[in-house]
Amino acid sequence: METGMRKQALGVVGLLLLFFWPCATTQPSCPVRATPPELQGPGNGSVQQTVPDGAFMSSIVHSFLRSVQPNPFPKDLLSTIVHSKGTTEMIKEALRYETGFLVCIAIGILYIFLMPLIGFCFACCRCCGNCGGRMYQKQTSNIHCKRRLFYWTTCIFTLIILAGNICMFFSNQYTADGVRNGVGELNNTFKSLQSYVSTVPKQIDQVVKESYVTVDEITCHVNGSGFFLGKAIQNGLKTPLMSALDSVTMMAQVVNSTSFSLLGLNNTQLQTELGALQANLTSVRNRINDTLHKSNCSSCYLFQSKLDSLSLDTSLNLSFQSDLQSAVDQAERADLNAQIKKGKDFFDSIPQVVTNETRDSLQGVQKQLENVKSQVSQVTKDLPLDTLSSISTSLGEAQTNANKYTPTVKTAEYIRWSVSLVLCCMILLVVVCNLLGLLLGPAGLRPKSDPSNRSSTANCGGLFLMAGVGFSFLFSWIFMIVVLILFVVFGNTYTLICVPWKTQELFQLIDTPGVIPGFQLSESLGLKTNLTVTAMYKDCQMNKSLWNTLHLAEIIDLNDFLNVSKYAVQVKQEFEKSQISIPSLTLLSSETQSQLHNFSARASSVNFSSIIERINTLSNINLNLTANELEKVADNQTNNNVKAELKKEADDLRSIQTYQINLIISPLVWQLRSKIESISGNVSQINGTVKDVLQKVSFAQDFLNNNATQIVKSKTSGFIDDQLGVLTAFATWANQTITDQVGRCGPVAAAVNTAENLVCTQIVDSLNAFWFSLGWCMVFLIPSIIFSVKLAKFYRRMKYTDVYENHIIMDHIPRANLKHY
């Protein structure tokens, strides 16, 4: 019996292991599908504008240059000059365009010739005693007003010259800073452009590599179709099939549990004890009956009815055990565990079946996927990437040359800065002379003193003023030459290069055919559209891709390269050549179903209620009550012998109750009742369980017979569409990436803007501010010279004396009484 119980327990454990055992097919290690990464690039292509401090006078200088040159940019004139090689008519037209500059040049030349000439004449006149050269100052009533007027006028013009001189210092330093920073900016610009040019092929390679990753992923899924498609088919069949197998598993558990409970049902000992109880109880009953019928027993006939209750029925009918065991044996012969294993084996074998059925078609699918790889890689061969390589080489050579000439540029800039500093200091010398004259003259002047007796301080102030005049005459014409040269060069640079550069008219000039020989972007790229530098610059400012900027769609049919629909059809056809058919499965045969029906019917026919009722009757035996009644009868007896016999017989009843019923029979009855109740509980489930099993098995069998083929087809089609959807999604991503993201030319526009900022704002504007400040000083030197000469005579010591009185001069009076003016 113990061996049978052990076998049943091992069967349950094996059944559970079989149910929870995972699918034997190992999942292929395919790459995880992820969003394609962002393209690596040199930057976001944003165009940054820097406004240097050298533009502090830009608005004033630009306003002056617009007044000098109010004409628009002569794009047509320049184009005609290039084509006509400078004819006389074109030269006249150019001179008319430069009228404003020519007028300013004429004024400058006049200044250059007149200033030294006037200075020479002025010096000669003063040597001859004219032009204030005679050291005599006429004393008048308004001499003090004249002196104050000349003083403040000279002071104002000196301060104006000083303001211009300060601007010269600043613009000279800003020019130096612009050149110094420009070297670094130029180097960074070359690096940025080289990084951009070298990044474009990397971005194309990144798209191609992403295509390889995508195709390899699809290939891996196709090669692992046994797992992936098998899993999909399993999921389609899982619900009804597993539900049926679960119900059969539960039925097997009920059968095993019932069989296990029947093995533990053993009533041999209880039957023996009940027999012993019946024998002992009969013996005591007979003795009591004999005592009650004795003649000296008083009123004993009254207990006779109680004595009849001691006749117990201790029989126990457990014939159901053999009937139920026969039903269980019949259910076990159905071998439900084998049916469950067959269903699980069928379910687990689906991936391997798919693998075997699709093995022949995989080669054709892989060939088509390899064709997709080669088709996408063809894009890199048709794109003009060689041009980018030559551009990168040119940029590298330009950067090398720039670095080569950087020391020369820095040396030249240092010389320019030194010369400009000398010019600034020369102007400052004139300003200092004027300021010293304006400071020392009034400090040493005594208005009432005789002009020939002025103090050395006042005389020194007058000499400083005349020194400023002398320096002005001596250097102003040289300064004006510098102003004229810088004005002509950098003024025209601003109007003819910087302004049209900013308004993009310069790009329009470059776009004019013939201006740059051999420069035809459309022809070099084989485009039908007229590709212009202006349009390219605007597109790059918006950070568009090279595909849109260069109109590459005209020379490359990207849709043809990335058209994977033709391969998709071929892949689908190749895959559908394999007819996947899963084997048929009979979950439960008709014989097995009949056996389960019989098991249910025979198990439900057992009447456990009467059995349990009979067991409860045995459990309710209580001899103590009868013993108590018998003892009362004994107490009423007068005959001691009868009394003693009745008491002994009452004690015998209590002893049977205590030692035989309570200690032995009651525990055995309780165990029997517990086991029968357990069996009754199992049997009560059998009818519903069998019904549920047969319903679910019938539904699953019909589902497999009618829908399995359709599920295989739909899951196969879905699997193919899913893989082709990945390929289509990649083609869409690649198309969008190449057309919208590859080679975003914002860095090119940023480099152009950096060059414009470097040339025009940091250098040209600073130099324009310098010559404008110097010219400012030269213009105001003229009134400064005039009023400085006028004012100097009021401070210098005169050689001759002039006396002014309000009355008629009668005769000479002592000098102490004279009024000096």
Side-chain angles (χ1 to χ4, degrees):
M1 183 178 296
E2 292 180 356
T3 304
M5 294 174 63
R6 188 179 297 110
K7 289 182 179 179
Q8 294 294 330
L10 291 175
V12 173
V13 174
L15 181 65
L16 293 176
L17 290 175
L18 176 65
F19 182 75
F20 290 107
W21 191 260
C23 182
T25 304
T26 304
Q27 179 177 358
S29 178
C30 292
V32 179
R33 185 176 305 173
T35 303
E38 292 292 333
L39 292 182
Q40 56 177 333
N44 58 5
S46 59
V47 180
Q48 298 180 353
Q49 294 283 358
T50 57
V51 180
D53 296 333
F56 71 104
M57 290 186 65
S58 296
S59 58
I60 302 175
V61 178
H62 294 173
S63 177
F64 173 75
L65 290 175
R66 283 194 295 268
S67 300
V68 172
Q69 182 55 278
N71 300 318
F73 179 66
K75 181 180 66 174
D76 297 334
L77 175 61
L78 293 176
S79 178
T80 306
I81 291 176
V82 171
H83 288 88
S84 302
K85 304 300 181 181
T87 61
T88 304
E89 186 63 29
M90 292 301 101
I91 294 176
K92 292 180 180 179
E93 186 67 24
L95 292 176
R96 281 195 293 269
Y97 178 80
E98 294 284 333
T99 300
F101 278 93
L102 293 176
V103 171
C104 293
I105 292 172
I107 295 173
I109 293 174
L110 188 63
Y111 188 100
I112 292 170
F113 280 102
L114 290 181
M115 282 301 289
L117 181 61
I118 293 173
F120 178 76
C121 295
F122 179 74
C124 292
C125 289
R126 289 185 66 85
C127 290
C128 296
N130 297 319
C131 299
R134 184 168 175 245
M135 302 302 291
Y136 166 77
Q137 185 177 28
K138 186 177 181 180
Q139 302 293 305
T140 61
S141 59
N142 59 353
I143 188 173
H144 297 301
C145 293
K146 286 183 178 181
R147 175 171 51 81
R148 294 187 184 94
L149 175 63
F150 293 151
Y151 179 87
W152 289 112
T153 305
T154 305
C155 182
I156 291 172
F157 284 116
T158 300
L159 292 178
I160 292 175
I161 296 172
L162 177 61
N165 186 239
I166 293 174
C167 292
M168 288 175 61
F169 277 105
F170 277 109
S171 33
N172 181 44
Q173 185 60 42
Y174 291 149
T175 303
D177 293 340
V179 173
R180 184 175 60 254
N181 295 333
V183 173
E185 289 185 13
L186 184 63
N187 192 33
N188 292 335
T189 300
F190 278 124
K191 289 181 179 179
S192 175
L193 289 176
Q194 280 189 315
S195 175
Y196 168 74
V197 172
S198 62
T199 300
V200 174
K202 295 179 181 178
Q203 291 178 336
I204 297 295
D205 290 340
Q206 187 175 353
V207 174
V208 175
K209 289 179 181 178
E210 187 64 28
S211 71
Y212 294 163
V213 172
T214 303
V215 173
D216 290 342
E217 175 191 350
I218 297 173
T219 303
C220 180
H221 281 83
V222 170
N223 291 336
S225 58
F227 176 82
F228 297 106
L229 180 55
K231 275 293 184 182
I233 296 175
Q234 281 181 327
N235 291 334
L237 301 175
K238 183 176 183 179
T239 301
L241 181 59
M242 286 302 165
S243 178
L245 292 179
D246 290 343
S247 65
V248 175
T249 302
M250 186 175 295
M251 185 70 234
Q253 291 174 351
V254 171
V255 172
N256 290 331
S257 177
T258 304
S259 177
F260 186 77
S261 298
L262 287 174
L263 289 175
L265 186 62
N266 186 3
N267 62 337
T268 303
Q269 184 179 359
L270 178 60
Q271 289 286 358
T272 302
E273 295 296 334
L274 286 176
L277 173 64
Q278 184 66 34
N280 292 335
L281 194 58
T282 301
S283 175
V284 173
R285 181 174 175 276
N286 292 332
R287 291 199 305 272
I288 294 173
N289 188 41
D290 291 341
T291 305
L292 292 177
H293 285 84
K294 288 182 178 182
S295 58
N296 55 356
C297 184
S298 175
S299 301
C300 292
Y301 65 92
L302 297 176
F303 190 75
Q304 192 65 42
S305 62
K306 297 291 183 180
L307 185 62
D308 295 337
S309 65
L310 290 178
S311 180
L312 299 177
D313 183 11
T314 58
S315 63
L316 185 63
N317 184 12
L318 296 179
S319 60
F320 78 92
Q321 184 176 1
S322 60
D323 295 337
L324 187 58
Q325 184 64 53
S326 176
V328 169
D329 293 340
Q330 187 177 8
E332 288 181 341
R333 282 195 297 271
D335 198 3
L336 296 180
N337 291 338
Q339 300 297 326
I340 296 171
K341 185 177 184 303
K342 182 173 66 173
K344 289 289 293 180
D345 291 342
F346 165 80
F347 185 79
D348 294 340
S349 66
I350 291 177
Q352 187 60 43
V353 170
V354 175
T355 300
N356 296 335
E357 296 289 342
T358 58
R359 184 176 290 113
D360 295 336
S361 62
L362 290 181
Q363 295 180 354
V365 174
Q366 292 173 353
K367 181 179 179 181
Q368 297 300 328
L369 293 175
E370 289 297 326
N371 291 337
V372 173
K373 274 188 179 181
S374 61
Q375 184 74 5
V376 174
S377 63
Q378 187 66 29
V379 177
T380 58
K381 298 179 181 178
D382 291 345
L383 287 174
L385 299 179
D386 295 338
T387 305
L388 294 177
S389 301
S390 61
I391 292 175
S392 179
T393 303
S394 300
L395 287 173
E397 293 176 355
Q399 186 175 10
T400 302
N401 293 330
N403 294 332
K404 177 181 178 181
Y405 291 106
T406 295
T408 304
V409 172
K410 290 183 177 179
T411 303
E413 168 55 27
Y414 178 76
I415 296 173
R416 183 212 61 81
W417 177 82
S418 301
V419 172
S420 299
L421 185 64
V422 171
L423 295 179
C424 295
C425 292
M426 295 301 296
I427 298 296
L428 183 60
L429 178 62
V430 175
V431 173
V432 169
C433 289
N434 285 0
L435 291 177
L436 289 175
L438 294 173
L439 179 64
L440 296 177
L445 178 66
R446 295 191 297 273
K448 295 184 179 181
S449 64
D450 186 85
S452 61
N453 196 26
R454 288 173 179 160
S455 67
S456 298
T457 303
N459 185 57
C460 186
L463 292 177
F464 271 115
L465 289 173
M466 292 307 297
V469 171
F471 287 131
S472 298
F473 276 119
L474 186 61
F475 299 113
S476 60
W477 65 278
I478 300 176
F479 293 164
M480 183 54 71
I481 294 175
V482 176
V483 171
L484 190 62
I485 294 173
L486 294 178
F487 167 72
V488 172
V489 175
F490 293 101
N492 278 293
T493 300
Y494 172 76
T495 57
L496 294 178
I497 296 179
C498 292
V499 172
W501 193 342
K502 199 170 192 64
T503 60
Q504 300 180 17
E505 292 178 294
L506 187 62
F507 299 147
Q508 297 175 9
L509 176 63
I510 296 174
D511 292 331
T512 303
V515 172
I516 300 178
F519 183 75
Q520 289 293 333
L521 290 175
S522 299
E523 293 181 1
S524 60
L525 293 176
L527 302 177
K528 298 178 181 178
T529 305
N530 184 21
L531 184 62
T532 61
V533 175
T534 305
M536 290 175 58
Y537 177 73
K538 290 181 179 179
D539 288 343
C540 289
Q541 277 191 316
M542 292 186 288
N543 200 24
K544 289 187 177 181
S545 64
L546 283 180
W547 185 270
N548 295 321
T549 302
L550 300 179
H551 302 280
L552 296 179
E554 296 184 9
I555 58 176
I556 301 175
D557 188 1
L558 190 61
N559 292 326
D560 181 59
F561 285 110
L562 298 178
N563 182 17
V564 298
S565 59
K566 53 184 179 181
Y567 297 104
V569 173
Q570 295 171 359
V571 168
K572 196 166 186 177
Q573 290 176 351
E574 289 289 342
F575 207 89
E576 289 179 346
K577 287 181 180 178
S578 57
Q579 298 296 328
I580 302 175
S581 59
I582 58 177
S584 60
L585 171 68
T586 301
L587 292 173
L588 293 178
S589 64
S590 59
E591 180 183 358
T592 302
Q593 296 183 27
S594 177
Q595 289 173 339
L596 291 179
H597 273 299
N598 294 333
F599 171 65
S600 175
R602 297 181 65 178
S604 60
S605 64
V606 178
N607 187 3
F608 287 96
S609 299
S610 61
I611 298 173
I612 294 175
E613 183 179 355
R614 178 63 185 148
I615 292 175
N616 291 335
T617 301
L618 294 175
S619 301
N620 294 329
I621 298 175
N622 192 352
L623 299 179
N624 290 329
L625 296 176
T626 305
N628 293 335
E629 293 291 333
L630 183 61
E631 195 171 44
K632 289 179 181 179
V633 173
D635 291 339
N636 294 328
Q637 299 300 318
T638 56
N639 189 314
N640 292 329
N641 292 329
V642 173
K643 184 176 181 179
E645 289 178 1
L646 290 176
K647 283 188 174 290
K648 181 180 181 304
E649 291 163 354
D651 290 338
D652 291 341
L653 289 176
R654 289 192 181 94
S655 178
I656 292 173
Q657 179 69 40
T658 301
Y659 296 104
Q660 196 166 4
I661 294 178
N662 292 345
L663 292 180
I664 298 175
I665 294 177
S666 291
L668 293 176
V669 170
W670 182 86
Q671 292 178 3
L672 178 62
R673 181 174 55 192
S674 176
K675 293 178 180 180
I676 290 177
E677 287 177 350
S678 175
I679 295 173
S680 175
N682 289 334
V683 170
S684 65
Q685 298 179 7
I686 290 175
N687 193 23
T689 304
V690 170
K691 183 179 179 181
D692 181 67
V693 167
L694 296 178
Q695 287 179 348
K696 290 184 177 179
V697 167
S698 177
F699 176 78
Q701 191 68 58
D702 293 340
F703 186 84
L704 289 175
N705 295 338
N706 301 325
N707 299 325
T709 303
Q710 183 61 33
I711 287 176
V712 170
K713 290 182 179 180
S714 63
K715 295 299 181 180
T716 303
S717 178
F719 174 76
I720 298 173
D721 291 341
D722 186 37
Q723 304 311 313
L724 296 180
V726 175
L727 194 60
T728 304
F730 160 74
T732 303
W733 172 84
N735 194 320
Q736 183 179 4
T737 301
I738 293 175
T739 55
D740 294 339
Q741 296 184 24
V742 171
R744 288 188 173 182
C745 58
V748 178
V752 173
N753 292 337
T754 300
E756 188 269 336
N757 174 71
L758 173 64
V759 173
C760 295
T761 305
Q762 297 191 31
I763 297 178
V764 173
D765 281 353
S766 297
L767 289 172
N768 283 339
F770 181 81
W771 66 253
F772 185 83
S773 302
L774 182 58
W776 177 333
C777 296
M778 295 303 99
V779 170
F780 286 100
L781 275 181
I782 296 175
S784 174
I785 291 172
I786 295 173
F787 289 104
S788 294
V789 171
K790 292 286 187 180
L791 181 61
K793 201 164 189 178
F794 287 93
Y795 298 134
R796 295 183 64 189
R797 186 182 294 120
M798 300 291 102
K799 293 182 179 180
Y800 307 100
T801 302
D802 184 31
V803 179
Y804 169 79
E805 292 182 353
N806 294 330
H807 303 285
I808 299 174
I809 299 176
M810 300 298 296
D811 53 7
H812 293 285
I813 59 177
R815 292 178 61 87
N817 297 326
L818 292 179
K819 296 173 68 178
H820 301 280
Y821 298 93

